[in-house]
Amino acid sequence: MIVAERKTIPEIVDIIKGHKNILVLGCGTCVTVCLAGGEREVSIMASALRIASRAQNLGFKVSELTIERQCDNIFIEQAAEAIEKADAVLSLGCGAGVQAIAERFAKKPVYAGLNTKFLGILEERGTWTEKCAQCGDCVLADYGGICPVTRCAKHLLNGPCGGSREDRCEVNPNRACAWQLIYKRLKDIGQLDRLEKISMPKQWGTSLSGGPRVIIREDHRI
Amino acid sequence: MNSNNKEITVVAFCCLYCAYAAADLAGSMRLQYPANVRIVRTPCTGRLEVEFFLKAFENGADGVLVAGCEEGSCHFKEGNLVAKRRVNYARKYLQESGLEPERLRMVNVSSAMARQLTDHIKDMVETVRKLGPSPLNKAKRQQQQEIKS
Ligand code: SF4
Ligand code: SF4
């Protein structure tokens, strides 16, 4: 899922200054699960902004709404009335959600209240970790299902770097060395021979380097 | 909430199994505590969400006290530890929004600790008095005065 983290109240106050009626708009999907932009976080954020407005005499009013998914027109429709009524929208969706709302309401300022961080998983209660950098040409099969692009600090396709201590990464000892994990995993599944192959440099043309990527499925187009 | 301009109001969320019982005991023991406090009985401090604290300030509290069981003796095992983390999180929000985080505090007492509870309440009321009324209420009072004059 997409993992995000809230911006601070002073940052948001700076972003929304000048507007009188702010709609804090939540999203019920990924950012709800990572506790950044669901109904509860919307309620807390709206409350904190109201307190900031009154405590610092900023003079804006705050309303709140959470829809099922901000990146989907069908659900955005449900927020249309509330969005029309507000001067500006503070979206607690991921970056895609914010942009989907902005595209749908051409004349309405729409701001991001979150920093969208990465594609990851809930590691344990209250801890999320990054697992995939969306390179566009997945090589997980060669590495026992552990992504060296994302999880090795040096993105090494032919690792390890030689700096790992015990099973820790030399760049940050709080992190496991991805290559240690890859070795262990390949050993466990009896595929250590995969490491004998030298991996060629990755073709980054499938990644973000050429601008936003598009996927077209002709069989689904009308 | 504040009828007297000089006075302040502290909302105290008290856990049924400890602080609320201690407040009861304080009554039986004829222990005095400031009348500024408004006690809200809660089934466990772990029931309290971050937004409860923020809403209390939005609705006119000058300070919020959360009183749960002593650490290690929560009736629901670790509700008070959950509450402690939420209180700390809410304090961060208060600070970012322009309210002193000292206006929100958590204390731990057992049901037998009536004297300690009244001391905590007195101390909290004193802290909030020193900070003065919440700026949220100041603005509201100014408005009221402007309307009157
Ligand atoms: S190889 Fe690319 S697509 Fe596969 S997990 Fe790693 S970053 Fe994601
Ligand atoms: S120690 Fe391991 S994870 Fe860290 S940079 Fe080296 S190979 Fe990558």
Side-chain angles (χ1 to χ4, degrees):
Chain A
M1 72 174 150
I2 293 162
V3 182
E5 199 176 33
R6 75 172 177 97
K7 286 184 186 287
T8 65
I9 300 296
E11 280 176 298
I12 292 173
V13 162
D14 193 48
I15 290 170
I16 61 176
K17 67 173 177 250
H19 297 296
K20 290 279 167 239
N21 286 300
I22 313 292
L23 172 69
V24 181
L25 186 63
C27 175
T29 312
C30 304
V31 289
T32 292
V33 183
C34 70
L35 305 180
E39 202 170 1
R40 171 163 297 161
E41 289 70 36
V42 164
S43 160
I44 296 171
M45 178 66 81
S47 218
L49 284 173
R50 277 191 288 263
I51 291 175
S53 174
R54 284 170 61 194
Q56 302 170 46
N57 254 326
L58 300 170
F60 58 77
K61 293 205 156 38
V62 182
S63 55
E64 49 192 277
L65 178 70
T66 300
I67 56 175
E68 193 62 34
R69 214 172 300 150
Q70 279 192 22
C71 56
D72 194 323
N73 263 332
I74 293 170
F75 297 106
I76 295 175
E77 205 52 54
Q78 296 164 3
E81 207 187 317
I83 292 174
E84 292 298 353
K85 274 195 207 147
D87 298 340
V89 178
L90 179 74
S91 161
L92 298 195
C94 74
V98 180
Q99 294 180 62
I101 303 281
E103 277 169 24
R104 179 76 178 59
F105 298 88
K107 298 224 161 108
K108 195 71 65 179
V110 180
Y111 303 114
L114 302 181
N115 294 320
T116 302
K117 294 288 203 180
F118 51 77
L119 206 55
I121 61 161
L122 178 71
E123 198 75 52
E124 55 188 65
R125 246 178 82 175
T127 306
W128 293 265
T129 51
E130 184 168 17
K131 296 291 180 200
C132 171
Q134 301 150 85
C135 72
D137 178 23
C138 192
V139 293
L140 279 177
D142 292 339
Y143 303 98
I146 289 150
C147 176
V149 179
T150 316
R151 296 169 68 181
C152 167
K154 295 169 191 164
H155 318 301
L156 294 180
L157 296 182
N158 298 289
C161 67
S164 67
R165 255 170 251 137
E166 303 293 331
D167 59 349
R168 305 279 97 190
C169 171
E170 75 165 345
V171 175
N172 180 351
N174 294 324
R175 251 188 252 132
C177 166
W179 272 94
Q180 173 79 28
L181 297 175
I182 291 168
Y183 179 83
K184 185 174 179 304
R185 173 85 180 146
L186 285 175
K187 195 174 172 198
D188 287 350
I189 59 176
Q191 295 187 6
L192 269 181
D193 54 313
R194 283 186 185 270
L195 291 182
E196 278 161 29
K197 188 188 97 188
I198 301 293
S199 296
M200 288 298 114
K202 223 169 157 348
Q203 296 304 315
W204 289 102
T206 57
S207 184
L208 196 59
S209 43
R213 293 164 278 184
V214 179
I215 295 175
I216 297 171
R217 280 278 300 268
E218 288 298 347
D219 57 327
H220 273 261
R221 283 167 68 90
I222 29 174
Chain B
M1 201 179 252
N2 294 280
S3 50
N4 180 342
N5 279 355
K6 291 194 193 74
E7 268 309 352
I8 47 108
T9 301
V10 171
V11 171
F13 291 107
C14 290
C15 158
L16 169 67
Y17 293 95
C18 54
Y20 193 79
D24 245 2
L25 182 62
S28 314
M29 289 167 71
R30 305 257 187 276
L31 295 175
Q32 298 274 331
Y33 58 84
N36 309 62
V37 67
R38 303 284 181 277
I39 291 183
V40 179
R41 189 179 75 175
T42 66
C44 171
T45 49
R47 173 65 190 93
L48 302 167
E49 309 282 355
V50 172
E51 52 267 48
F52 289 20
F53 310 135
L54 301 185
K55 291 268 190 280
F57 285 105
E58 265 196 73
N59 288 312
D62 299 289
V64 174
L65 183 69
V66 178
C69 305
E70 289 181 295
E71 289 188 9
S73 57
C74 169
H75 193 80
F76 299 101
K77 292 210 164 85
E78 50 184 48
N80 52 356
L81 302 180
V82 170
K84 182 177 161 183
R85 294 197 288 266
R86 289 187 185 153
V87 164
N88 287 338
Y89 188 64
R91 283 166 65 115
K92 218 189 282 172
Y93 261 108
L94 290 183
Q95 183 155 38
E96 286 180 22
S97 307
L99 278 189
E100 301 86 350
E102 295 77 22
R103 292 184 186 275
L104 172 61
R105 179 189 295 172
M106 177 154 186
V107 298
N108 302 83
V109 293
S110 79
S111 55
M113 291 161 73
R115 195 169 300 280
Q116 285 88 338
L117 178 71
T118 54
D119 286 348
H120 280 310
I121 291 175
K122 282 180 202 157
D123 193 59
M124 182 69 188
V125 168
E126 203 37 52
T127 302
V128 178
R129 237 185 218 134
K130 275 194 195 129
L131 291 171
S134 152
L136 275 64
N137 300 331
K138 264 190 215 156
K140 204 169 158 194
R141 265 176 232 151
Q142 260 168 14
Q143 274 173 5
Q144 282 168 349
Q145 273 165 1
E146 276 164 21
I147 292 166
K148 269 187 213 157
S149 59

